[in-house]
């Protein structure tokens, strides 16, 4: 039995003011997402006049499905993430809607630090998680590779990387149906003993960690294993290294291919990450997201809701612990 | 006046046993390099029979230009780098040839940790340098980008990143003629205050560092700035992050383009790095180097020798300090 049986119309909260080019890009992205998914219900969090612009652009029969939380403040890229604990900011209000069961997921393209702060403040953490992780799936040559953390957790302890392994392995199973995920620790050589102090201790912690059934720790992997795949389905690292690597790969694809390759469609990295370790579905889009990226983020949030990700994550982390808080949210 | 006026036949020491596919790949690479550069003189460091194979394959009139240091031991990828302090290993013997003035540079495709250990043990460090850095130049969209460190220095202090800024800026000026290099610190956002503890303190250290004339610190850059360029000519980071990023970019080019792109020739990352901060010219090729990579490494070593890199680096680090040790080496 899985939460995915609880399908239904998803209500997705969207932060209208998050992102470098908000609200215009978010407006376009929300409209694209609504166009692509006739079952999508939106909870628009932001200025009423921006929400009205979206509603006016929707087909008349869709308009009644949209709710609005009128919020005017935003946490800017240069603001302290702590500003995101204020309930009058869009990102915090979007998270509050998830916590209250009014939305099955929230999507923001605002500063990722603010999104993490808002999520932890508004939702708390899942059992055993001290630091949440931002997680993406990359299109590697040999199947998808789940990479985490890509920016939430800096200056980590080795035990926190072991928790990321649990989160990532569960995500790979739930989202990608990888029933026996191989978990690798990102380092600078495949041989044991390579890496900095954090990696050397974390390798011991990961070897000793209780991973979800079927998952196993397979040792060090390197930067190219994230793009080529083959050695690990889940790659664990700290948020600094993961963020630098993800952006470097993104730039490499842009440089290598312009907008297309000789051998096929362009390769790109996802511009929406899932925040793992909080009891609620939270999607953080790239700050420089374009409308397509926002629409992709909303589609991803809908998938998370339908699959009941955060509930299944809580169960995997600590089976006898508290019941899932958010997975059973109904729109 | 520059050391580049001291042109002449370069003798380059080559570690015949370094690399995953040594000696075969190194033999092929050395022959390619000799074929491409009629002025190249080689000092082959490894088993006599391997050296003899190279000599036999050279045109008869070139054979007299080759010297051999018969050394049989190697530092393997899984060995402790400390093994490289043994004078009977190929990498250590190659470095010794540079220290003794018998070669203008040494090239190895062996384990980078062993190469760094051998270089520091055999050559020492340049003034003010506590940790040497491995440095590569990437083909960014808007001009070359010098990236360091890509694997020598782990668990660094902020002041060590400031020294890397000096090394990288000098390298950009000497190798690429960039007279006013912009130096960026790799982080996870462009705004001040982004990044982990090391980056936050290093940003202050870099802003306060004495850079070569014309060079300036321009603040944080991100992963994509390494591939796209435009914001910095020199990107400074610790060896863990730099190594992961470089290998990730390499894998991305391989995935994106196969072996060619729609818009032109394939993009790739260099597979030979220069060790900066030691008083001698040391080139470290990728462990999985192919013959072309070894040849590229030998050509790079020849360029370093002709430009008098290590001498000019010493002068830039500490003008009144000891005279260049290696730049005036003559074959």
């Amino acid at each position: 039995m899985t939460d995915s049986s609880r399908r239904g119309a998803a209500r997705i909260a969207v932060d209208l003011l998050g992102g470098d080019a908000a609200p215009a890009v978010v407006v376009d992205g929300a409209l694209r997402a609504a166009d692509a998914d006739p079952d999508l219900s939106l909870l628009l969090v932001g200025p009423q006049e921006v929400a009205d612009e979206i509603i006016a652009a929707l087909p008349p029969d869709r308009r009644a499905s949209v709710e609005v939380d009128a919020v005017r403040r935003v946490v800017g890229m240069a603001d302290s993430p702590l500003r995101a604990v204020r309930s009058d900011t869009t990102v915090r209000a979007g998270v509050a809607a998830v916590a209250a069961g009014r939305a099955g997921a929230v999507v923001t393209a605002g500063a990722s630090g603010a999104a993490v702060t808002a999520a932890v403040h508004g939702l708390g953490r899942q059992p055993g998680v001290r630091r949440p992780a931002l997680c993406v799936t990359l299109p590697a040559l040999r199947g998808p590779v789940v990479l985490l953390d890509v920016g939430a957790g800096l200056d980590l302890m080795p035990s926190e990387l072991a928790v990321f392994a649990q989160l990532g392995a569960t995500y790979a199973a739930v989202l990608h149906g990888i029933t026996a995920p191989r978990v690798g620790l990102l380092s600078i050589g495949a041989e044991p003993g390579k890496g900095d102090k954090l990696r050397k201790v974390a390798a011991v912690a990961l070897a000793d960690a209780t991973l979800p059934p079927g998952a196993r720790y397979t040792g060090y992997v390197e930067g190219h294993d994230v793009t080529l795949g083959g050695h690990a389905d889940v790659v664990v690292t700290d948020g600094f290294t993961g963020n630098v690597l993800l952006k470097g790969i993104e730039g490499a694809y842009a440089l290598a291919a312009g907008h297309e390759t000789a051998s096929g469609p362009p390769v790109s990295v996802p511009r929406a990450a899932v925040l793992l370790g909080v009891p609620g579905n939270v999607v953080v889009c790239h700050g420089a997201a374009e409308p397509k990226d926002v629409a992709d983020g909303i589609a991803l949030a809908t998938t998370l809701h339908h699959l009941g990700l955060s509930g299944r994550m809580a169960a995997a982390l600590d089976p006898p612990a508290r019941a899932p808080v958010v997975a059973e949210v109904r729109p």
Side-chain angles (χ1 to χ4, degrees), chain A:
Chain A
M1 190 221 76
T2 72
D3 292 346
S4 61
S5 57
R6 300 194 195 90
R7 284 193 70 92
R11 185 172 301 285
I12 306 297
V14 177
D15 172 2
L16 296 179
L17 294 182
D20 298 343
V25 157
V26 185
V27 168
D28 286 357
L31 289 170
R32 278 185 185 228
D35 191 50
D37 178 2
D39 290 330
L40 177 67
S41 300
L42 292 168
L43 171 59
L44 304 175
V45 184
Q48 183 72 50
E49 66 273 19
V50 177
D52 287 344
E53 188 185 339
I54 293 173
I55 293 167
L58 285 171
D61 64 326
R62 296 289 298 276
R63 291 174 190 166
S65 74
V66 179
E67 293 185 6
V68 178
D69 277 3
V71 180
R72 301 206 72 85
R73 288 185 191 275
V74 66
V75 186
M77 289 292 174
D79 290 335
S80 164
L82 289 177
R83 189 176 156 89
V85 304
R86 291 177 53 152
S87 60
D88 62 350
T89 60
T90 50
V91 64
R92 182 69 182 80
V95 166
V98 173
R102 297 179 54 232
V106 58
V107 178
T108 179
S112 61
V116 174
T117 301
V120 169
H121 195 78
L123 294 164
R125 299 177 183 84
Q126 285 181 316
V129 176
R130 213 159 67 86
R131 305 260 213 144
L134 283 165
C135 178
V136 295
T137 303
L138 285 114
L141 194 60
R142 304 182 192 91
V145 170
V146 170
L147 174 68
L148 76 168
D149 174 27
V150 298
L154 309 179
D155 300 308
L156 296 182
M157 306 287 288
S159 62
E160 291 165 337
L161 288 175
V163 173
F164 288 1
Q166 296 178 296
L167 297 173
T170 304
Y171 186 84
V174 173
L175 260 281
H176 304 296
I178 302 172
T179 52
R182 299 159 299 164
V183 179
L185 176 62
L186 190 61
S187 193
I188 62 172
E191 302 84 3
K194 291 281 171 87
D196 58 8
K197 288 177 192 164
L198 174 61
R199 263 36 77 154
K200 287 178 183 175
V201 182
V204 180
L206 265 81
D208 202 40
T210 304
L211 296 180
R216 65 188 194 282
Y217 172 61
T218 53
Y220 285 150
V221 295
E222 301 180 76
H224 48 80
D225 291 313
V226 172
T227 38
L228 299 178
H231 287 118
D233 306 297
V234 177
V235 173
V236 170
T237 192
D238 66 286
F240 184 87
T241 307
N243 187 280
V244 166
L245 177 62
L246 182 65
K247 288 175 178 167
I249 291 171
E250 182 174 29
Y253 288 148
L255 176 60
H259 293 289
E260 57 178 322
T261 68
S263 52
V267 191
S268 64
V269 302
R271 304 190 91 196
V274 178
L275 186 66
L276 301 182
V278 296
N281 297 316
V282 179
V283 171
V284 182
C285 295
H286 198 299
E290 299 186 3
K292 177 187 177 300
D293 304 318
V294 172
D296 288 348
I298 293 172
L300 176 59
T302 305
T303 300
L304 301 182
H305 169 69
H306 283 150
L307 292 174
L309 176 74
S310 77
R312 291 168 71 179
M313 189 68 77
L317 284 170
D318 196 349
R322 56 181 171 163
V325 173
V326 173
E328 289 119 353
V329 165
R330 290 170 200 284

